[in-house]
């Protein structure tokens, strides 16, 4: 925006959308904007100009934060954390329920499946009533965790198509959550992505108390978990490298690139063929 653009009807000062002007407007060169605003009649004086500017910039910042928090990757972050919390709480309460239920009922059991059995009982007395009620809460939490997983499986391929294709929707969402968002994940080197979720082991290694971790949460991927222990480091590096590329494509362009999957499959095939060759060597 130039000085010629600023006048009584300028969007910068008196338009209908000052927030858009703050966020998207530009100027070719610095100018004495308070003076221009006063002379154009857009502001009564310099104090009025700065008051209105503060209101517009505050509104623009709030709108930017609102948009960021509603973004798909932020929804994945919240969903995967909520899923983990619901799942963990359900299992913890199921342990408590097993102890309590075992003191009242002839049948014993453990876990959420036992909670389902207890939840279907007709209580006899106040104590049983509370145990059955607790069992139903456990079942509700377990079902909420599964519903959240279904939400993630449907939302992750939209928010991060390449990352989801390579890692699977849930692992992709977990990586986004651990990094704090898709943008921070896209900016991390592959070595950092490789050990996300293994921070305790990494800090222990940095203090000299443990070996360097080879992988973090990506261990749950079949290409790492299903590879023999001596080759898991290579598998984890290969997977982390492709996941890093996928995250960057998802953040900066968003287009789906199936060749990434083919490249990863080929790399993992080479690692596993090498392992098969070692096992079938002369000493086998």
């Amino acid at each position: 925006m130039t000085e010629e653009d600023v006048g009584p009807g300028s969007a910068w000062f008196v338009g209908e959308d000052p927030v858009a002007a703050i966020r998207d407007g530009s100027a070719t060169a610095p100018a004495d904007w308070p003076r221009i605003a006063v002379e154009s009649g857009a502001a009564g004086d310099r104090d009025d100009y700065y008051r209105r500017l503060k209101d517009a910039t505050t509104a623009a910042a709030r709108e930017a934060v609102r948009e960021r928090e509603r973004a798909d990757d932020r929804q994945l972050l919240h969903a995967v954390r909520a899923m983990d919390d619901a799942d963990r709480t359900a299992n913890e309460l199921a342990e408590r329920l097993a102890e309590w239920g075992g003191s009242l009922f002839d049948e014993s059991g453990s876990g959420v499946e036992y909670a389902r059995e207890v939840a279907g009982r007709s209580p006899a007395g106040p104590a049983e009533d509370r145990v059955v009620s607790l069992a139903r809460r456990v079942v509700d939490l377990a079902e909420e965790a599964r519903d959240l997983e279904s939400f993630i499986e449907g939302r992750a391929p939209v928010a991060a198509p390449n990352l989801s294709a390579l890692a699977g929707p849930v692992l992709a969402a977990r990586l986004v959550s651990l990094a704090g968002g898709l943008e921070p994940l896209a900016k991390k080197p592959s070595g950092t992505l490789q050990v996300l979720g293994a921070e305790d082991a990494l800090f222990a290694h940095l203090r000299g108390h443990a070996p360097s971790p080879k992988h973090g949460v990506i261990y749950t991927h079949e290409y790492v978990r299903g590879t023999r222990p001596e080759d898991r480091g290579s598998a984890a590096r290969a997977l982390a490298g492709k996941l890093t590329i996928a995250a960057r494509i998802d953040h900066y362009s968003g287009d789906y690139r199936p060749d990434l999957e083919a490249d990863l499959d080929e790399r993992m095939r080479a690692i596993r063929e090498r392992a098969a060759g070692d096992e079938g060597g002369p000493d086998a």
Side-chain angles (χ1 to χ4, degrees), residues 133-193:
S133 177
L134 177 60
R136 291 170 180 166
R137 301 299 189 277
V138 171
V139 172
D140 287 344
L141 275 172
E143 291 179 350
E144 182 62 32
R146 300 292 77 78
D147 289 344
L148 285 164
E149 184 175 13
S150 296
F151 170 81
I152 291 167
E153 289 174 346
R155 195 71 172 260
V158 176
N162 294 286
L163 192 65
S164 297
L166 266 62
V170 174
L171 178 55
R174 205 175 296 286
L175 288 168
V176 168
S177 175
L178 287 168
L182 182 58
E183 181 177 1
L185 182 64
K187 293 180 178 179
K188 292 185 183 300
S190 62
T192 300
L193 185 150

Side-chain angles (χ1 to χ4, degrees), residues 112-123:
V112 174
E113 289 308 310
Y114 177 65
R116 295 184 190 278
E117 296 176 10
V118 175
R121 297 180 67 100
S122 297

Side-chain angles (χ1 to χ4, degrees), residues 97 101 104-108 114-124 128-129 131-133 135-136:
L97 176 70
L104 294 173
F105 309 127
D106 293 335
E107 304 85 358
S108 61
Y114 177 65
R116 295 184 190 278
E117 296 176 10
V118 175
R121 297 180 67 100
S122 297
E128 289 190 10
D129 185 64
V131 171
V132 171
S133 177
R136 291 170 180 166

